Structure formats: structure tokens, C-alpha cells
């Protein structure tokens, strides 16, 4: 049964990676999907691929570090949905692996602008619409780096920790309006972002720390997002769900 059929979603960062997998799985459920992304070319490729499978999709040019563009994207998505936006999955983000002492002012500021302020702007705009409508599902894509300290994660981990906190506050403030807000904390997931950032050595270290002994797939993260985006998750609110192959659960050494 497709319980999401006829709903409308905005998926930021939906042109590729985790965001695209979310857009694809929502579309398979009969959801109208607005993709918001900085990469216009990749967005068109994503749109064509989803439309070929019968989905209703629009592309919304979006830089999430602009508050005004986030407001406009939410408006465009709601218009696509006949005035309402049921679902926001906020996946747009950038990565950075830099030691605390080597992180420059510019790197710090860029990370906060995109990964933290971007989440704030998009969730605020969507939250306002959903409060008005009396229904909504907000899913932010945080990271295990926002939960556990790790080397090279001063800016990225701080931004993602912030995303988790703003998701919790939103969950509390909108709970009586039929709106839920939950965060996913993916571990290492095979996407372009990780392909650029993880050397062979990094991959070996990660795999040793992941009980599942492998990286996750964007589809595995998307499946969790679809659950949190659905009406059946109504009593799950302000939660941080790790999708990490057991990485956070293991904590310390678990293999020889
Ligand atoms: P990705 O690089 O494959 O995709 C990210 C998408 O976001 C791209 O399409 C990019 O164009 C878009 N984007 C980047 N900056 C943007 C901006 N300013 N405005 C609008 N769009 C922008 O990355 P991914 O691996 O799919 O990551 C998606 C999210 O998941 C990110 O927030 C990332 O931090 C988080 N995450 C990823 C992993 C992982 O291992 N891949 C782990 C934990 C968390």
C-alpha cells in the first residue's frame, strides 16, 4: 500500500547521492517530488531519470546557504503540491575533513553557512508551511559525525551536531501541530561526497570500525528517511536514527 501517494515533498540536495535516493523512493510511493539543488545540470539528469519511471518532478534551483532561496524553494514546492508541502527531506550538504587546528576561518564559515544555516533556513520555511497546514514530516540528514567526536570533524561535526539540535527543538515546538522532525545520522555511505573524501587508508580505518564491515548505500539511508516521512511514524519525534551499520553502537574495538 502506498500511504504517501498524492503527497508532496521537497528534497534538498536531491540531484545526487542520498538526496537522489530519497527522491527516487518517495516518487516510487507516488509522492510529487520537488528537487532543490545547487547543481542545475545534475538536477535535470535526476529529473529525467525519475520522470522516465513515471514520477511527477520539478527542479528548483537552490543554494541552501541563502535564506531567501530556501523560502522560495519551499513556496515553489508547496505550489507544486497545490498549496501544501507534506514532506521536507533536507539532504543538501558539503563535507570537510580538516583537523581542528588547521581549519581556516573561511572553511569554518562555509561549513556553517551550508550545513548548519542551510538546514535552519529550509526547516524554518517548511516548518512554517506545515504548521499552517496542521501536518508535516521533516527529516534532516545529519551524520554520525554530529554525535561522536572524530578526528578531522571540527567544522563538519559541529555543523551536524547543530543540525541535530535544531531538529530536536523543531520537533518539540511543532509537536502539537501534526508536524514531526527527526534526524538521520548516516555513517559512511557510498556517494560522490565520500568518493572525493575517503582515501584507501581512510576506507580501511572506517571498515574496521563498522561492525557490518562495509559502507552503506544511499538506498539504505533513503529507506529510513521514507519511514520518517510517512504518516505511520507519527509518534516518532525528535529522534536521531543512526544508519551506520552499527558504527555508533560499537564505540570501541569490536574486531581483532
Ligand atoms: P553528495 O555530494 O553526493 O550530494 C550532495 C548534494 O547536495 C549534491 O547534489 C550537491 O549539489 C548538493 N549541494 C551541495 N551544496 C549545496 C547547497 N549549498 N545548496 C543546495 N544544494 C547543495 O553528498 P551525499 O553523500 O549524498 O550527502 C548528502 C547529505 O548526507 C549531506 O548533508 C552529508 O553531509 C550527509 N551525510 C553523508 C554521508 C556519507 O557518507 N555520504 C554520511 C553522513 C552524512
Amino acid at each position: 500500500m502506498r500511504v504517501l501517494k498524492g503527497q508532496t515533498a521537497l528534497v534538498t540536495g536531491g540531484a545526487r547521492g542520498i538526496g537522489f535516493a530519497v527522491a527516487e523512493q518517495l516518487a516510487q510511493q507516488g509522492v510529487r517530488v520537488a528537487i532543490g539543488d545547487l547543481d542545475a545540470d545534475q538536477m535535470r539528469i535526476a529529473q529525467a531519470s525519475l520522470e522516465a519511471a513515471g514520477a511527477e518532478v520539478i527542479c528548483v534551483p537552490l543554494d541552501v546557504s541563502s535564506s531567501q532561496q530556501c523560502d522560495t524553494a519551499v513556496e515553489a514546492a508547496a505550489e507544486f503540491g497545490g498549496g501544501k508541502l507534506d514532506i521536507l527531506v533536507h539532504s543538501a550538504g558539503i563535507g570537510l575533513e580538516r583537523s581542528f587546528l588547521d581549519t581556516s576561518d573561511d572553511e569554518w564559515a562555509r561549513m556553517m553557512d551550508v550545513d548548519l544555516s542551510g538546514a535552519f533556513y529550509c526547516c524554518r520555511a517548511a516548518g512554517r508551511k506545515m504548521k499552517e497546514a496542521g501536518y508535516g514530516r521533516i527529516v534532516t540528514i545529519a551524520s554520525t559525525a554530529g554525535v561522536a567526536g572524530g578526528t578531522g570533524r571540527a567544522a563538519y561535526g559541529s555543523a551536524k551536531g547543530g543540525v541535530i539540535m535544531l531538529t530536536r527543538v523543531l520537533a518539540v515546538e511543532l509537536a502539537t501541530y501534526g508536524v514531526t522532525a527527526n534526524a538521520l545520522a548516516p555513517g559512511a555511505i557510498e556517494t560522490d561526497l565520500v568518493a572525493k573524501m575517503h582515501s584507501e587508508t581512510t576506507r580501511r580505518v572506517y571498515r574496521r570500525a563498522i561492525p557490518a564491515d562495509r559502507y552503506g548505500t544511499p538506498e539504505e539511508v533513503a529507506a529510513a528517511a521514507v519511514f520518517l516521512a510517512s504518516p505511520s511514524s507519527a509518534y516518532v519525534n525528535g529522534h536521531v536514527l543512526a544508519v551506520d551499520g552499527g558504527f555508533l553502537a560499537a564505540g570501541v574495538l569490536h574486531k581483532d
Side-chain angles (χ1 to χ4, degrees):
M1 194 174 59
R2 301 199 298 172
V3 290
L4 292 169
K5 191 169 165 45
Q7 293 201 351
T8 304
L10 170 62
V11 182
T12 70
R16 62 163 66 74
I18 293 170
F20 177 72
V22 170
E24 192 171 39
Q25 290 187 18
L26 287 175
Q28 283 162 1
Q29 294 288 321
V31 175
R32 264 180 238 104
V33 180
I35 295 176
D37 204 289
L38 196 58
D39 185 338
D41 292 341
Q42 188 59 35
M43 212 161 33
R44 273 190 291 276
I45 293 169
Q47 181 182 27
S49 145
L50 296 176
E51 284 179 345
E56 281 183 75
V57 185
I58 57 165
C59 293
V60 185
L62 173 64
D63 179 347
V64 297
S65 66
S66 154
S67 156
Q68 190 238 311
Q69 288 189 33
C70 293
D71 288 348
T72 306
V74 164
E75 280 306 326
E79 197 177 311
F80 184 48
K84 68 184 179 61
L85 176 67
D86 304 289
I87 299 164
L88 167 71
V89 179
H90 179 70
S91 187
I94 53 174
L96 177 70
E97 207 161 335
R98 186 83 71 242
S99 76
F100 196 120
L101 301 185
D102 289 334
T103 301
S104 70
D105 292 357
D106 284 351
E107 286 169 334
W108 175 266
R110 179 81 189 132
M111 184 56 68
M112 293 305 141
D113 284 351
V114 177
D115 282 16
L116 183 53
S117 299
F120 171 65
Y121 299 143
C122 289
C123 291
R124 184 180 60 182
R128 285 172 175 163
K129 270 262 166 273
M130 292 169 177
K131 179 182 172 186
E132 231 172 75
Y135 179 84
R137 294 284 179 267
I138 293 174
V139 183
T140 55
I141 310 295
S143 170
T144 50
V147 180
T151 172
R153 293 290 195 271
Y156 182 71
S158 301
K160 292 299 189 180
V163 170
I164 287 171
M165 189 47 69
L166 70 85
T167 307
R168 286 187 174 132
V169 173
L170 195 54
V172 172
E173 292 192 1
L174 295 188
T176 54
Y177 298 98
V179 180
T180 64
N182 292 283
L184 291 181
I189 310 297
E190 290 290 4
T191 65
D192 292 352
L193 184 89
V194 156
K196 272 183 252 158
M197 287 175 59
H198 287 199
S199 64
E200 273 315 309
T201 311
T202 307
R203 282 178 175 275
R204 263 197 307 280
V205 171
Y206 259 101
R207 282 193 52 180
R208 274 185 62 76
I210 301 169
D213 200 26
R214 64 172 177 87
Y215 280 29
T217 66
E219 291 72 24
E220 287 171 315
V221 182
V226 170
F227 165 65
L228 293 174
S230 76
S232 41
S233 66
Y235 210 58
V236 182
N237 200 15
H239 187 65
V240 182
L241 178 59
V243 185
D244 66 351
F247 175 78
L248 286 179
V252 287
L253 290 178
H254 65 281
K255 291 180 198 160
D256 291 337

